Each structure stands twice: as structure tokens, then as C-alpha cells.
Amino acid sequence: VGQYDILGIAQVLEALNFGILTDMHGDIPYSEAVQGQANLQPKLDKQKDVYEGILATLDDAIINLEKGADLGSAKDQDLLLGGKVKKREAFAYALKARYILHKSVVENNVWSQVEAAATKAIELGFEGVAITEFNGVTCDNPWSAYIWSRSYVASSKTVTDLMKATNDPRLDYYTYGTGKSYAPGDENELYFILAEAQLRQNKDATDAFQTAVKTAVSEIMTLFKDDTDVTAFVATLGTPTLQILFEQKYLAQSYDEQIEAYNDIRRCKAMGESYITLTNPFNTQSGINRYPERLPYGNSSVLSNPHIKAAYGDGTYIYT
């Protein structure tokens, strides 16, 4: 009781997880979800309503984090940000910027709200969020753990071609130093969001864009202990446009923000815009490139919940 800091953290994580679910699947159980035995067959809520709930939850989280700023209740229970009180609130504002941005598909007047939320997150010191250690043990992101253990993941031709076009210093590291692509078989994201919001309002987005790219490139170069002059590369990209912004954001996302890369491509497509051309030949069936617009519901949910079974139908809904 009264542990507002812990409550605020929980609400931020709730918003993040429901956000990923609805981004991947569209309509999902939300208002009747996570009730356990009380409701084993929750209804599906419209994505619009889920987004409204997510943003309301983030607003509540911000209020609780501010109320609990001096409590210290969370201590080592906050695996993401530890004792960094202000950065918990910054995380909430960063997520607000992300999910308001997603709504731009159907609400074309959200750009000032996106800019305000992103700016607030930056003011509060947002530097990305990751679990790097737990009980003294290093924690790998599942994507990077898979790469290090199997070497099964590499850049696609789309990524490689974009990098070659700008002499990107990350190319060797994205392609394991071979200079070749493989046929298909965090903080910087926030600055990309801010830059897009500014461009959409016809504002100068140069600072935000250059910070986004510099952060994204530096992350890779530092990882491989490469001291190449990142600033010089960023300068070669010139004045940002939406085309340049989405190309660079896509390259940055391909490292550790694959879900947001998927979201951006679908969001732009729904807005009648196209900045990234996907060329996987194995998507083509009967001369049509069948690109899934969402992920299918899981088998267990389809079999056990009649609401989800009805929405699943014959499965072709994933292409709409």
C-alpha cells in the first residue's frame, strides 16, 4: 500500500507488453484479459480501444512515479532502471511518444503530441532501457543471444544495399565482415521519433535526426571497438527528409528494434507512403508478394477461445 513507485513501474511494463501484443496481432483481449480462472475466454477489444487504454495507463504511471519519486520502495526490484527515478518517468514518456506515433495512421494531427512526449523523455534523461544483469549474471537480449550462439541471423539484401549506397561504416559488422548480404530463407529510436514529428510539422529536424543516426552508428562501432569518425558519416547524409529518416531508422532498427521496424513499414503503408522496399523473393506466391500485415493468433488461443477462433477464420486475415 502506498508504494507508488512500484505501481508506476508495473503500469509502464503493462503498457509496453499490451502495446507489443496489439502491434503484432491487431485486436486482442484487453478489457477482460489477465483475469485467470475468472475469465478463460476473454473477448477481443478493438485495437483503437487498446491504444486508448495503453496511453491512459501510461498517464497513470507518470502520476504514480511522480508521487513515489522519493519513496525508494522499488530499490533492486526495478530490473530495468534500478534507482534511476527520473529515468523511469522518462521511459513512460518515451512509450507515450511511440504509441501516439502509431496512431498517426488514423489521426493525422498527433505530431505535436508526439514531439512533446519525446522532448519530455529526453529532458528527463532517457537513454534506452535494457536488462543487462540479474543477480550478478549478464543478461543477453534474446536476439543477440541467438546471434552469438548460432550465427544464424544476418543482414538482408535490403539492409546491405542501403548501407552500400551511403558508404555506411557499420556495413562490415552488419554482415560479419564478409561484405556480403545473406539471402532471406532504444535511445536512438526516440530521436528518430522526434525527428519525424518535427518533419511532419515542417520544422527543422536536423539536430534530432543527426543525434539519432550518430547514436545508432556509435552503438555498433563502439561494440566492435572501431574508432571511425561517426560525425563525418552523419554529415554526408545531408538535410533530413522522410525518405532519409526512414532509411536510417530502418538500419538502426534492424539491430535491436525489429518490432518497431515492422510497425513503421505497416504504418507508412497504411498512410499511403513507402520508404523501404522489401525484396524477399520467397514471399511471392502466384506472382503476388504476400506480406503479412499482422501475426496470427496462437493455436492454443484459437482452439480454446471462440472469440479468437471467429476472428481467425481461415487465417487469411493476416494479409489485411
mmCIF file of all heavy atoms in Angstrom, residues 27-60:
data_model
loop_
_atom_site.group_PDB
_atom_site.id
_atom_site.type_symbol
_atom_site.label_atom_id
_atom_site.label_comp_id
_atom_site.label_asym_id
_atom_site.label_seq_id
_atom_site.Cartn_x
_atom_site.Cartn_y
_atom_site.Cartn_z
ATOM 1 N N ASP A 27 -6.445 -6.705 -33.034
ATOM 2 C CA ASP A 27 -7.411 -6.806 -31.933
ATOM 3 C C ASP A 27 -6.971 -7.915 -30.985
ATOM 4 O O ASP A 27 -6.634 -9.023 -31.423
ATOM 5 C CB ASP A 27 -8.805 -7.111 -32.476
ATOM 6 C CG ASP A 27 -9.341 -5.999 -33.382
ATOM 7 O OD1 ASP A 27 -8.763 -4.895 -33.367
ATOM 8 O OD2 ASP A 27 -10.328 -6.247 -34.091
ATOM 9 N N ILE A 28 -6.987 -7.638 -29.686
ATOM 10 C CA ILE A 28 -6.540 -8.617 -28.686
ATOM 11 C C ILE A 28 -7.448 -8.548 -27.454
ATOM 12 O O ILE A 28 -8.165 -7.566 -27.248
ATOM 13 C CB ILE A 28 -5.092 -8.339 -28.227
ATOM 14 C CG1 ILE A 28 -4.993 -6.930 -27.625
ATOM 15 C CG2 ILE A 28 -4.107 -8.537 -29.367
ATOM 16 C CD1 ILE A 28 -3.683 -6.648 -26.906
ATOM 17 N N PRO A 29 -7.456 -9.588 -26.621
ATOM 18 C CA PRO A 29 -8.119 -9.462 -25.329
ATOM 19 C C PRO A 29 -7.430 -8.369 -24.511
ATOM 20 O O PRO A 29 -6.201 -8.364 -24.408
ATOM 21 C CB PRO A 29 -7.918 -10.842 -24.696
ATOM 22 C CG PRO A 29 -7.724 -11.768 -25.843
ATOM 23 C CD PRO A 29 -6.947 -10.959 -26.857
ATOM 24 N N TYR A 30 -8.210 -7.477 -23.947
ATOM 25 C CA TYR A 30 -7.622 -6.383 -23.167
ATOM 26 C C TYR A 30 -8.478 -6.074 -21.940
ATOM 27 O O TYR A 30 -8.047 -6.307 -20.816
ATOM 28 C CB TYR A 30 -7.461 -5.135 -24.040
ATOM 29 C CG TYR A 30 -6.846 -3.965 -23.312
ATOM 30 C CD1 TYR A 30 -5.513 -4.001 -22.917
ATOM 31 C CD2 TYR A 30 -7.591 -2.818 -23.015
ATOM 32 C CE1 TYR A 30 -4.936 -2.931 -22.237
ATOM 33 C CE2 TYR A 30 -7.028 -1.738 -22.347
ATOM 34 C CZ TYR A 30 -5.693 -1.804 -21.951
ATOM 35 O OH TYR A 30 -5.140 -0.739 -21.278
ATOM 36 N N SER A 31 -9.701 -5.601 -22.166
ATOM 37 C CA SER A 31 -10.549 -5.226 -21.030
ATOM 38 C C SER A 31 -10.920 -6.431 -20.162
ATOM 39 O O SER A 31 -11.171 -6.280 -18.965
ATOM 40 C CB SER A 31 -11.820 -4.531 -21.524
ATOM 41 O OG SER A 31 -12.570 -5.395 -22.358
ATOM 42 N N GLU A 32 -10.932 -7.632 -20.729
ATOM 43 C CA GLU A 32 -11.257 -8.843 -19.976
ATOM 44 C C GLU A 32 -10.038 -9.748 -19.807
ATOM 45 O O GLU A 32 -10.163 -10.890 -19.359
ATOM 46 C CB GLU A 32 -12.374 -9.628 -20.684
ATOM 47 C CG GLU A 32 -13.714 -8.889 -20.736
ATOM 48 C CD GLU A 32 -14.805 -9.716 -21.398
ATOM 49 O OE1 GLU A 32 -14.510 -10.837 -21.859
ATOM 50 O OE2 GLU A 32 -15.958 -9.248 -21.440
ATOM 51 N N ALA A 33 -8.842 -9.247 -20.164
ATOM 52 C CA ALA A 33 -7.634 -10.075 -20.135
ATOM 53 C C ALA A 33 -7.089 -10.241 -18.724
ATOM 54 O O ALA A 33 -7.475 -9.522 -17.794
ATOM 55 C CB ALA A 33 -6.569 -9.463 -21.040
ATOM 56 N N VAL A 34 -6.174 -11.182 -18.569
ATOM 57 C CA VAL A 34 -5.416 -11.490 -17.341
ATOM 58 C C VAL A 34 -6.292 -11.560 -16.087
ATOM 59 O O VAL A 34 -5.915 -11.070 -15.033
ATOM 60 C CB VAL A 34 -4.240 -10.502 -17.142
ATOM 61 C CG1 VAL A 34 -3.215 -10.676 -18.238
ATOM 62 C CG2 VAL A 34 -4.688 -9.045 -17.096
ATOM 63 N N GLN A 35 -7.451 -12.196 -16.218
ATOM 64 C CA GLN A 35 -8.318 -12.413 -15.063
ATOM 65 C C GLN A 35 -8.226 -13.845 -14.539
ATOM 66 O O GLN A 35 -8.951 -14.228 -13.628
ATOM 67 C CB GLN A 35 -9.772 -12.090 -15.428
ATOM 68 C CG GLN A 35 -9.997 -10.624 -15.768
ATOM 69 C CD GLN A 35 -11.442 -10.314 -16.097
ATOM 70 O OE1 GLN A 35 -12.340 -11.106 -15.812
ATOM 71 N NE2 GLN A 35 -11.670 -9.160 -16.707
ATOM 72 N N GLY A 36 -7.361 -14.639 -15.160
ATOM 73 C CA GLY A 36 -7.166 -16.002 -14.695
ATOM 74 C C GLY A 36 -8.430 -16.842 -14.810
ATOM 75 O O GLY A 36 -9.167 -16.756 -15.790
ATOM 76 N N GLN A 37 -8.702 -17.631 -13.781
ATOM 77 C CA GLN A 37 -9.858 -18.521 -13.789
ATOM 78 C C GLN A 37 -11.180 -17.769 -13.872
ATOM 79 O O GLN A 37 -12.205 -18.338 -14.251
ATOM 80 C CB GLN A 37 -9.854 -19.383 -12.515
ATOM 81 C CG GLN A 37 -8.711 -20.396 -12.451
ATOM 82 C CD GLN A 37 -8.868 -21.503 -13.476
ATOM 83 O OE1 GLN A 37 -9.968 -21.905 -13.807
ATOM 84 N NE2 GLN A 37 -7.742 -21.991 -13.997
ATOM 85 N N ALA A 38 -11.167 -16.491 -13.550
ATOM 86 C CA ALA A 38 -12.410 -15.703 -13.579
ATOM 87 C C ALA A 38 -12.931 -15.528 -15.001
ATOM 88 O O ALA A 38 -14.135 -15.334 -15.211
ATOM 89 C CB ALA A 38 -12.186 -14.337 -12.935
ATOM 90 N N ASN A 39 -12.045 -15.601 -15.983
ATOM 91 C CA ASN A 39 -12.478 -15.455 -17.374
ATOM 92 C C ASN A 39 -11.423 -16.095 -18.283
ATOM 93 O O ASN A 39 -10.418 -15.484 -18.615
ATOM 94 C CB ASN A 39 -12.666 -13.982 -17.745
ATOM 95 C CG ASN A 39 -13.307 -13.805 -19.109
ATOM 96 O OD1 ASN A 39 -13.417 -14.742 -19.885
ATOM 97 N ND2 ASN A 39 -13.727 -12.588 -19.416
ATOM 98 N N LEU A 40 -11.683 -17.329 -18.687
ATOM 99 C CA LEU A 40 -10.733 -18.058 -19.525
ATOM 100 C C LEU A 40 -10.948 -17.816 -21.013
ATOM 101 O O LEU A 40 -10.152 -18.263 -21.832
ATOM 102 C CB LEU A 40 -10.839 -19.557 -19.233
ATOM 103 C CG LEU A 40 -10.438 -19.982 -17.817
ATOM 104 C CD1 LEU A 40 -10.683 -21.474 -17.619
ATOM 105 C CD2 LEU A 40 -8.983 -19.636 -17.526
ATOM 106 N N GLN A 41 -12.025 -17.109 -21.372
ATOM 107 C CA GLN A 41 -12.318 -16.823 -22.772
ATOM 108 C C GLN A 41 -12.641 -15.338 -22.957
ATOM 109 O O GLN A 41 -13.762 -14.957 -23.300
ATOM 110 C CB GLN A 41 -13.475 -17.696 -23.263
ATOM 111 C CG GLN A 41 -13.168 -19.193 -23.215
ATOM 112 C CD GLN A 41 -14.336 -20.050 -23.648
ATOM 113 O OE1 GLN A 41 -15.502 -19.656 -23.529
ATOM 114 N NE2 GLN A 41 -14.048 -21.243 -24.146
ATOM 115 N N PRO A 42 -11.663 -14.486 -22.729
ATOM 116 C CA PRO A 42 -11.902 -13.038 -22.830
ATOM 117 C C PRO A 42 -12.229 -12.627 -24.257
ATOM 118 O O PRO A 42 -11.756 -13.224 -25.220
ATOM 119 C CB PRO A 42 -10.575 -12.433 -22.377
ATOM 120 C CG PRO A 42 -9.560 -13.493 -22.675
ATOM 121 C CD PRO A 42 -10.256 -14.795 -22.421
ATOM 122 N N LYS A 43 -13.041 -11.578 -24.366
ATOM 123 C CA LYS A 43 -13.402 -11.053 -25.683
ATOM 124 C C LYS A 43 -12.214 -10.312 -26.289
ATOM 125 O O LYS A 43 -11.261 -9.947 -25.594
ATOM 126 C CB LYS A 43 -14.586 -10.105 -25.568
ATOM 127 C CG LYS A 43 -14.252 -8.786 -24.874
ATOM 128 C CD LYS A 43 -15.433 -7.824 -24.876
ATOM 129 C CE LYS A 43 -15.021 -6.475 -24.258
ATOM 130 N NZ LYS A 43 -16.120 -5.495 -24.257
ATOM 131 N N LEU A 44 -12.280 -10.078 -27.591
ATOM 132 C CA LEU A 44 -11.287 -9.262 -28.269
ATOM 133 C C LEU A 44 -11.711 -7.799 -28.238
ATOM 134 O O LEU A 44 -12.876 -7.487 -28.484
ATOM 135 C CB LEU A 44 -11.140 -9.704 -29.734
ATOM 136 C CG LEU A 44 -10.476 -11.061 -29.996
ATOM 137 C CD1 LEU A 44 -10.652 -11.455 -31.450
ATOM 138 C CD2 LEU A 44 -9.006 -11.020 -29.635
ATOM 139 N N ASP A 45 -10.772 -6.923 -27.905
ATOM 140 C CA ASP A 45 -11.034 -5.487 -27.960
ATOM 141 C C ASP A 45 -10.441 -4.916 -29.250
ATOM 142 O O ASP A 45 -9.412 -5.393 -29.738
ATOM 143 C CB ASP A 45 -10.405 -4.782 -26.755
ATOM 144 C CG ASP A 45 -11.108 -5.127 -25.460
ATOM 145 O OD1 ASP A 45 -12.107 -4.467 -25.139
ATOM 146 O OD2 ASP A 45 -10.648 -6.077 -24.781
ATOM 147 N N LYS A 46 -11.080 -3.903 -29.789
ATOM 148 C CA LYS A 46 -10.562 -3.238 -30.974
ATOM 149 C C LYS A 46 -9.220 -2.576 -30.652
ATOM 150 O O LYS A 46 -9.020 -2.047 -29.561
ATOM 151 C CB LYS A 46 -11.550 -2.176 -31.479
ATOM 152 C CG LYS A 46 -12.858 -2.751 -32.000
ATOM 153 C CD LYS A 46 -12.635 -3.588 -33.240
ATOM 154 C CE LYS A 46 -13.931 -4.097 -33.837
ATOM 155 N NZ LYS A 46 -13.704 -4.984 -35.012
ATOM 156 N N GLN A 47 -8.327 -2.580 -31.623
ATOM 157 C CA GLN A 47 -7.003 -2.012 -31.398
ATOM 158 C C GLN A 47 -7.085 -0.549 -30.958
ATOM 159 O O GLN A 47 -6.313 -0.113 -30.099
ATOM 160 C CB GLN A 47 -6.154 -2.140 -32.658
ATOM 161 C CG GLN A 47 -4.702 -1.743 -32.424
ATOM 162 C CD GLN A 47 -3.837 -1.938 -33.657
ATOM 163 O OE1 GLN A 47 -4.100 -1.324 -34.685
ATOM 164 N NE2 GLN A 47 -2.829 -2.774 -33.562
ATOM 165 N N LYS A 48 -8.015 0.192 -31.524
ATOM 166 C CA LYS A 48 -8.186 1.597 -31.132
ATOM 167 C C LYS A 48 -8.409 1.717 -29.623
ATOM 168 O O LYS A 48 -7.830 2.584 -28.962
ATOM 169 C CB LYS A 48 -9.360 2.211 -31.888
ATOM 170 C CG LYS A 48 -9.660 3.663 -31.519
ATOM 171 C CD LYS A 48 -10.852 4.185 -32.317
ATOM 172 C CE LYS A 48 -11.087 5.672 -32.030
ATOM 173 N NZ LYS A 48 -11.413 5.926 -30.615
ATOM 174 N N ASP A 49 -9.256 0.835 -29.072
ATOM 175 C CA ASP A 49 -9.555 0.881 -27.641
ATOM 176 C C ASP A 49 -8.359 0.435 -26.811
ATOM 177 O O ASP A 49 -8.136 0.938 -25.700
ATOM 178 C CB ASP A 49 -10.776 0.010 -27.342
ATOM 179 C CG ASP A 49 -12.034 0.519 -28.029
ATOM 180 O OD1 ASP A 49 -12.169 1.747 -28.181
ATOM 181 O OD2 ASP A 49 -12.879 -0.315 -28.423
ATOM 182 N N VAL A 50 -7.597 -0.514 -27.339
ATOM 183 C CA VAL A 50 -6.396 -0.959 -26.627
ATOM 184 C C VAL A 50 -5.391 0.188 -26.528
ATOM 185 O O VAL A 50 -4.812 0.434 -25.470
ATOM 186 C CB VAL A 50 -5.750 -2.171 -27.337
ATOM 187 C CG1 VAL A 50 -4.464 -2.591 -26.608
ATOM 188 C CG2 VAL A 50 -6.729 -3.341 -27.389
ATOM 189 N N TYR A 51 -5.202 0.911 -27.628
ATOM 190 C CA TYR A 51 -4.286 2.048 -27.615
ATOM 191 C C TYR A 51 -4.728 3.113 -26.606
ATOM 192 O O TYR A 51 -3.897 3.681 -25.875
ATOM 193 C CB TYR A 51 -4.187 2.684 -29.003
ATOM 194 C CG TYR A 51 -3.094 2.114 -29.866
ATOM 195 C CD1 TYR A 51 -3.381 1.491 -31.073
ATOM 196 C CD2 TYR A 51 -1.757 2.188 -29.484
ATOM 197 C CE1 TYR A 51 -2.389 0.961 -31.874
ATOM 198 C CE2 TYR A 51 -0.749 1.670 -30.264
ATOM 199 C CZ TYR A 51 -1.076 1.049 -31.472
ATOM 200 O OH TYR A 51 -0.079 0.525 -32.254
ATOM 201 N N GLU A 52 -6.013 3.393 -26.577
ATOM 202 C CA GLU A 52 -6.500 4.380 -25.605
ATOM 203 C C GLU A 52 -6.211 3.918 -24.184
ATOM 204 O O GLU A 52 -5.821 4.712 -23.323
ATOM 205 C CB GLU A 52 -7.999 4.619 -25.802
ATOM 206 C CG GLU A 52 -8.356 5.293 -27.128
ATOM 207 C CD GLU A 52 -7.645 6.616 -27.326
ATOM 208 O OE1 GLU A 52 -7.476 7.371 -26.353
ATOM 209 O OE2 GLU A 52 -7.220 6.903 -28.473
ATOM 210 N N GLY A 53 -6.394 2.606 -23.935
ATOM 211 C CA GLY A 53 -6.104 2.067 -22.612
ATOM 212 C C GLY A 53 -4.629 2.137 -22.270
ATOM 213 O O GLY A 53 -4.249 2.464 -21.134
ATOM 214 N N ILE A 54 -3.780 1.854 -23.242
ATOM 215 C CA ILE A 54 -2.326 1.909 -23.040
ATOM 216 C C ILE A 54 -1.889 3.327 -22.667
ATOM 217 O O ILE A 54 -1.128 3.536 -21.717
ATOM 218 C CB ILE A 54 -1.592 1.440 -24.311
ATOM 219 C CG1 ILE A 54 -1.739 -0.067 -24.490
ATOM 220 C CG2 ILE A 54 -0.112 1.831 -24.266
ATOM 221 C CD1 ILE A 54 -1.252 -0.561 -25.840
ATOM 222 N N LEU A 55 -2.388 4.302 -23.417
ATOM 223 C CA LEU A 55 -1.984 5.691 -23.159
ATOM 224 C C LEU A 55 -2.522 6.183 -21.818
ATOM 225 O O LEU A 55 -1.847 6.934 -21.103
ATOM 226 C CB LEU A 55 -2.459 6.584 -24.304
ATOM 227 C CG LEU A 55 -1.700 6.349 -25.618
ATOM 228 C CD1 LEU A 55 -2.400 7.041 -26.784
ATOM 229 C CD2 LEU A 55 -0.259 6.840 -25.506
ATOM 230 N N ALA A 56 -3.734 5.735 -21.448
ATOM 231 C CA ALA A 56 -4.279 6.101 -20.135
ATOM 232 C C ALA A 56 -3.437 5.472 -19.021
ATOM 233 O O ALA A 56 -3.187 6.101 -17.983
ATOM 234 C CB ALA A 56 -5.736 5.640 -20.031
ATOM 235 N N THR A 57 -3.011 4.237 -19.235
ATOM 236 C CA THR A 57 -2.171 3.560 -18.246
ATOM 237 C C THR A 57 -0.840 4.284 -18.078
ATOM 238 O O THR A 57 -0.331 4.432 -16.958
ATOM 239 C CB THR A 57 -1.917 2.097 -18.674
ATOM 240 O OG1 THR A 57 -3.176 1.404 -18.735
ATOM 241 C CG2 THR A 57 -1.012 1.378 -17.679
ATOM 242 N N LEU A 58 -0.261 4.750 -19.172
ATOM 243 C CA LEU A 58 0.998 5.492 -19.087
ATOM 244 C C LEU A 58 0.819 6.817 -18.348
ATOM 245 O O LEU A 58 1.695 7.232 -17.578
ATOM 246 C CB LEU A 58 1.563 5.730 -20.489
ATOM 247 C CG LEU A 58 2.139 4.486 -21.179
ATOM 248 C CD1 LEU A 58 2.452 4.778 -22.643
ATOM 249 C CD2 LEU A 58 3.409 4.005 -20.462
ATOM 250 N N ASP A 59 -0.314 7.483 -18.582
ATOM 251 C CA ASP A 59 -0.581 8.722 -17.839
ATOM 252 C C ASP A 59 -0.684 8.435 -16.344
ATOM 253 O O ASP A 59 -0.164 9.196 -15.517
ATOM 254 C CB ASP A 59 -1.870 9.371 -18.350
ATOM 255 C CG ASP A 59 -1.682 10.062 -19.697
ATOM 256 O OD1 ASP A 59 -0.542 10.432 -20.016
ATOM 257 O OD2 ASP A 59 -2.682 10.235 -20.419
ATOM 258 N N ASP A 60 -1.361 7.332 -15.997
ATOM 259 C CA ASP A 60 -1.466 6.944 -14.580
ATOM 260 C C ASP A 60 -0.083 6.608 -14.023
ATOM 261 O O ASP A 60 0.239 6.946 -12.875
ATOM 262 C CB ASP A 60 -2.389 5.732 -14.430
ATOM 263 C CG ASP A 60 -3.854 6.063 -14.677
ATOM 264 O OD1 ASP A 60 -4.212 7.264 -14.620
ATOM 265 O OD2 ASP A 60 -4.641 5.128 -14.912
#
